[in-house]
Structures are given as structure tokens and as C-alpha cells.
Amino acid sequence: MKISASLLNADFTALGELVRGLEKAGADMLHIDVMDGNFVPNISIGFPVIQSLKAFTALPLDVHLMVDRPHRYIERFIEAGADTLGFHYEAGSDSGRVIRRIKELGAKPSITVCPSTPVHVLYDHLEAVSQVLIMTVQPGYGGQDFMLPMLGKVEKLRMERERRGLDFEIQVDGGIDSETALPAKRAGADILVVGSALIGAEDMSAAIKALRT
Ligand code: DX5
Ligand code: ZN
């Protein structure tokens, strides 16, 4: 089980310290939530922070775009340092073209659905992506409650992956803590995005261990 640490609820005056802590604690990657105030009401972080992180850490950067018409920004996010670039199916770009462009530029494409979107809309793209992200909260804010019914989508996706012999990873994002991690894992999640449950923990190594077991 991999852990992608979401920085959304970090104290950004001490971001470097936090990232060193996450490296030591054993996080597998950093999850960076980019919000534009249009696709979601919130506005978060963008290119400069990603650039600084890229120069600072060897942890892979897992960038989650919550941005309208994301095709406009693919080049810039990959240039800034995104290793995985995720975008929303609902965000108004041609998904197939976005995936192809991300791969052309040498990054891993990830496609995401909001809670209200059924997972079968992604089936045409499963061959082409490295990762599928199932949102387990409404995108926009950290610290929300986990939506248990979303695990039905994770199960469906896992079965579809098996049926077709594919190898993309399944990621879940939102409300993951030591309690919700287990059902998410059982449903088929390979990567847990964890924000507040990790960033707020006194002992991040212990928190990651608890999430993994
Ligand atoms: C929500 C973001 C999540 C969020 C996770 O829109 O995509 O990555 O930061 O935070 P927690 O773990 O606090 O739900
Ligand atoms: Zn996210």
C-alpha cells in the first residue's frame, strides 16, 4: 500500500521541514492539490511551489489538478516537476488528448472522477492511464468525511482491471485515516492520499505505519 501525502493542509511557512519529515516517515510520494477557484471554489497552490519542491526532494510529485480545461496547463505542470499529472474527467478537456499529451511529455497520466460521476465513464481510458483516482470526498477542501459508498466504484474498477489484465494503479483521495484505510484497501485501492490524518499527526512515522497495516 503506497501513501501519497497531501500537502493541502500544511503550514506553508514550514513546508521544507514537513517534506523532510515525510521523507523520514516513509511517504511514497507527495500529493499536490492544485485548485483554480473555478472547477472547485477553493484556490490553492501552483507552479512556484511545485518547482521549489522538485528541487528540494526526490519524492515523486503526484499533482492533482482541480482546474477547468486542464489541457491548457499540461506543459507547464510537467515542466514545473509533476511526475504524475492527474486531471478531472469532468473538467471540460478531451480526456484522450490530455492523456496522450501527458505521456508524450514523459509524465504519468492519472484520470479522476468526482463523487457524483460513475466510474464506467473512464473505461475507454483505462488502457492509457497509469493511475485512476477515485475521489472519496467532494474535491475542494481537506479534512472532510470519507464517503464510504465510493468504495463501490473502487471495487468495480478493480474488477474491470482484472478482467482486462491492465496494470494502472487505483488511488483514493479524501477522508483517509487509520480507520478508513482498511476498507479502502480491501476494496482495491493501491495508493492512499492522506492529508489531515498525516500532516496533523504528532508522529508521522507511526501514522504511516498505522495506515499501512
Ligand atoms: C481534496 C483534495 C485532497 C485532500 C485530502 O480536494 O483532493 O487531496 O487534500 O485531504 P484529507 O486527507 O484531509 O481529506
Ligand atoms: Zn487531491
Side-chain angles (χ1 to χ4, degrees):
M1 177 60 72
K2 291 186 198 167
I3 306 292
S4 189
S6 165
L7 304 179
L8 187 60
N9 281 11
D11 168 3
F12 285 98
T13 62
L15 190 56
E17 218 175 289
L18 173 66
V19 170
R20 288 289 176 257
L22 288 166
E23 289 169 346
K24 277 202 196 106
D28 296 286
M29 55 192 111
L30 299 179
H31 183 85
I32 300 162
D33 291 297
V34 177
M35 306 180 183
D36 67 350
N38 285 297
F39 182 71
V40 290
N42 201 6
I43 297 180
S44 58
I45 48 190
F47 305 116
V49 175
I50 295 173
Q51 256 161 11
S52 301
L53 285 170
K54 192 68 193 172
F56 184 76
T57 180
L59 287 175
L61 304 183
D62 168 39
V63 176
H64 174 192
L65 299 182
M66 284 159 274
V67 166
D68 253 342
R69 295 182 293 140
H71 65 271
R72 298 174 293 163
Y73 300 109
I74 300 168
E75 287 77 8
R76 290 194 62 196
F77 278 106
I78 293 174
E79 229 172 70
D83 295 285
T84 300
L85 189 58
F87 67 98
H88 274 263
Y89 171 83
E90 305 89 348
S93 294
D94 177 328
S95 296
R97 286 173 74 171
V98 172
I99 292 166
R100 278 198 298 280
R101 189 70 187 132
I102 293 172
K103 281 166 117 170
E104 266 167 28
L105 295 170
K108 294 179 176 178
S110 171
I111 193 164
T112 307
V113 279
C114 290
S116 57
T117 305
V119 70
H120 66 77
V121 301
L122 303 181
Y123 283 8
D124 281 349
H125 303 296
L126 298 181
E127 262 95 8
V129 293
S130 300
Q131 192 175 287
V132 175
L133 168 52
I134 302 292
M135 290 303 300
T136 43
V137 297
Q138 285 302 344
Y141 299 93
Q144 303 181 74
D145 287 340
F146 183 73
M147 297 166 80
L148 191 63
M150 296 304 118
L151 294 186
K153 292 200 237 179
V154 174
E155 274 165 25
K156 263 184 95 168
L157 192 58
R158 175 176 47 82
M159 289 189 298
E160 185 66 11
R161 180 175 65 185
E162 232 171 79
R163 194 178 71 77
R164 287 159 63 177
L166 301 175
D167 61 0
F168 59 86
E169 291 185 290
I170 303 175
Q171 197 179 49
V172 288
D173 183 7
I176 302 290
D177 58 23
S178 54
E179 272 174 33
T180 55
L182 186 62
K185 183 183 178 172
R186 286 201 177 126
D190 307 296
I191 308 172
L192 304 175
V193 175
V194 192
S196 35
L198 185 55
I199 305 305
E202 246 170 61
D203 181 344
M204 293 199 297
S205 305
I208 288 186
K209 263 186 212 126
L211 286 159
R212 282 212 170 101
T213 49

